[in-house]
Amino acid sequence: MSVGTEVVVVRSASGVDRGEWDALVPAPQVYLTHDWLCAVEDCFGFELVFFLLRDGGRTVAGVQGLLVRDPDAFPYHDPTGALFGDYELDHLRQALARDRSEAESAEAAALLAAVVCAEAAHTRAAGYPALVMTSPYGYASGVLTLPSADRRSAIGQLLGGIDAFCRTQGIPAQSFLWQSGTDEELHRALAGHGYLEFLSDLEYDLDVAPASSFEDYLRTLDRKRRTVVRSEIRRFTASGMRIEHAAAPGPAVIERCAELSEGQQKKYGLPVDRAAMERLFTSLLDAKRLGATLHLVLREGAEGQDIAGFLLCLEAGGVLHPKFVGFDTAAIGANYAYFNLAFYHLVEQAVAGGARRISYGMGSADAKRLRGCRPAQVRGWIRFSSPAVHRRIEPYVTVFDCLKKQLLGSQDGRVLR
């Protein structure tokens, strides 16, 4: 493939042909589609960078990332956050506490805090701006190729293109964050290019393909859990609220959903920009490739019907992706609105629509496992241009990976190696 091929760098989604890019994207991977990347770029101003492998004028492979200049600007999209963020440190403290006395756990946690304080500050000083190969807001990364392409060669050429870009632009850190699946070809290539590997998290999917009804889904749960689910459904129904699909939501509905999304954004430390969320929701609902649907929790009040909660869900390749959710917590009270909307209603929608899987992403592990979801590893890869910085961070990454495996292995039901 190397004869007649070249790596072309494009600094915006608008400069990439939609048809050529989407031809590379696997059907279920909604967060790497041209429509998704254009929407998040336009609404939030991310600096996206595309590396396209061209063969005779045709794009045969590609990889996309973004430039992160400020590690505090957007959590989860930067190497410092992936290795030293509050969520990650909480995981490490939990791992250190296992099989230790309270005094030993406190001593280990204090040592961890000291190491993190020093290493995080050094990484911030030496690692930015960073090129992060991930999808903004979508937490997906990977090298995309046409089925006919020589994948091994394409990955090698694209990683070489990334290296060359970072040298010429003075970018000291490169990373593939939130890499799902078992792409052994990519993993071998990243290791060969000197990237350090670590376990980031577990993501959860719910397989609904075998179910032909909601009752079929319930039968996949144990008897006690079935009883709990039915009780949560009754509690929600008795509250007088209901869930409806908004077939053609107008500006007022989208504005209300953007308002409700603020609490969820703040919960995960994400920046709150209601106007940007309105633009994003509008763009997603207008993009047919994304299969976006809006589901509303409605209540009847003294002044008529009100939206007390919402879920914006995407669909691609038979996979549902519940992405944005928000609630008026004072209005819904303790009626299990979240579980009814994001799980039970969505399972019914998936079964009725013929979807085979619901992708729930990372976090809230217990809630997802109890409702039938199964975990899969999400890995990260990081590389620093400076040999000294790279050598310094390597021991921390090794310990980080070991502790993550120790903790998340118990959640996965097996030891991760």
Side-chain angles (χ1 to χ4, degrees):
M1 178 185 289
S2 59
V3 177
T5 60
E6 63 172 339
V7 176
V8 176
V9 180
V10 181
R11 300 293 291 267
S12 171
S14 62
V16 177
D17 181 84
R18 173 183 272 100
E20 286 199 351
W21 179 261
D22 282 345
L24 305 173
V25 181
Q29 185 46 276
V30 69
Y31 298 121
L32 291 177
T33 60
H34 194 274
D35 282 340
W36 174 267
L37 296 172
C38 275
V40 294
E41 181 182 53
D42 291 345
C43 294
F44 297 102
F46 291 114
E47 290 187 69
L48 299 189
V49 185
F50 292 78
F51 299 86
L52 308 177
L53 183 61
R54 296 258 173 87
D55 183 1
R58 183 180 66 140
T59 300
V60 297
V63 63
Q64 167 275 325
L66 68 151
L67 282 172
V68 177
R69 300 186 184 276
D70 178 3
D72 294 320
F74 207 94
Y76 309 118
H77 288 163
D78 67 276
T80 302
L83 292 170
F84 305 106
D86 291 341
Y87 176 75
E88 286 68 29
L89 294 187
D90 183 58
H91 268 183
L92 299 190
R93 282 190 288 266
Q94 291 178 49
L96 289 171
R98 291 187 57 186
D99 304 322
R100 288 180 172 87
S101 68
E102 185 174 339
E104 290 172 331
S105 176
E107 183 179 356
L111 178 60
L112 172 67
V115 171
V116 165
C117 182
E119 296 306 319
H122 188 266
T123 300
R124 282 172 178 260
Y128 293 88
L131 179 64
V132 183
M133 315 310 292
T134 194
S135 169
Y137 260 119
Y139 314 117
S141 68
V143 173
L144 308 173
T145 57
L146 291 178
S148 59
D150 180 340
R151 183 163 174 77
R152 180 179 180 182
S153 175
I155 291 173
Q157 290 183 73
L158 287 169
L159 292 182
I162 291 172
D163 293 347
F165 175 80
C166 290
R167 282 196 304 272
T168 60
Q169 298 295 317
I171 298 169
Q174 309 91 48
S175 57
F176 281 71
L177 297 182
W178 319 118
Q179 210 283 313
S180 304
T182 56
D183 190 343
E184 296 300 331
E185 198 77 70
L186 176 58
H187 295 174
R188 284 193 295 269
L190 290 171
H193 275 72
Y195 284 75
L196 303 174
E197 179 186 11
F198 56 92
L199 178 63
S200 298
D201 210 331
L202 300 175
E203 62 182 358
Y204 290 84
D205 286 356
L206 180 61
D207 181 13
V208 294
S212 59
S213 67
F214 186 74
E215 285 299 316
D216 282 348
Y217 156 71
L218 286 180
R219 280 190 281 272
T220 66
L221 309 177
D222 63 45
R223 180 177 296 180
K224 182 178 179 180
R225 178 48 45 183
R226 288 199 298 270
T227 300
V228 170
V229 169
R230 289 192 172 104
S231 174
E232 291 172 348
I233 294 173
R234 286 196 300 271
R235 182 77 169 266
F236 176 76
T237 303
S239 73
M241 295 187 181
R242 68 184 189 280
I243 299 171
E244 287 188 3
H245 169 223
V253 171
I254 293 176
E255 180 181 1
R256 173 60 171 161
C257 292
E259 177 187 3
L260 293 175
S261 74
E262 288 188 8
Q264 197 75 4
Q265 300 296 102
K266 291 177 181 177
K267 176 181 176 181
Y268 290 102
L270 301 175
V272 175
D273 185 336
R274 189 183 299 182
M277 294 306 294
E278 286 183 40
R279 294 194 300 271
L280 179 63
F281 292 169
T282 300
S283 295
L284 299 179
L285 289 165
D286 287 343
K288 296 186 183 303
R289 170 74 167 80
L290 301 180
T293 52
L294 187 62
H295 307 268
L296 308 176
V297 176
L298 302 174
R299 65 167 182 166
E300 296 295 336
E303 298 181 358
Q305 185 173 276
D306 183 32
I307 299 172
F310 84 98
L311 169 68
L312 195 155
C313 183
L314 309 176
E315 181 175 6
V319 179
L320 297 184
H321 299 266
K323 186 56 187 174
F324 296 101
V325 66
F327 295 93
D328 182 338
T329 54
I332 62 173
N335 66 2
Y336 301 101
Y338 173 78
F339 295 127
N340 275 270
L341 177 60
F343 286 91
Y344 314 141
H345 172 75
L346 206 58
V347 168
E348 289 184 325
Q349 294 295 304
V351 171
R356 67 178 187 278
R357 179 162 53 93
I358 304 175
S359 178
Y360 281 103
M362 299 173 287
S364 305
D366 289 340
K368 292 169 183 176
R369 286 201 316 274
L370 289 173
R371 287 160 182 82
C373 296
R374 296 292 180 265
Q377 295 183 43
V378 180
R379 306 201 64 83
W381 299 78
I382 189 168
R383 175 180 180 271
F384 292 91
S385 300
S386 165
V389 174
H390 197 78
R391 284 195 300 270
R392 174 167 175 160
I393 198 67
E394 187 170 6
Y396 178 82
V397 173
T398 300
V399 173
F400 180 96
D401 182 55
C402 180
L403 291 175
K404 279 277 193 169
K405 287 176 178 176
Q406 178 182 327
L407 179 68
L408 298 182
S410 64
Q411 296 182 8
D412 195 5
R414 57 195 169 91
V415 176
L416 301 179
R417 302 194 184 278

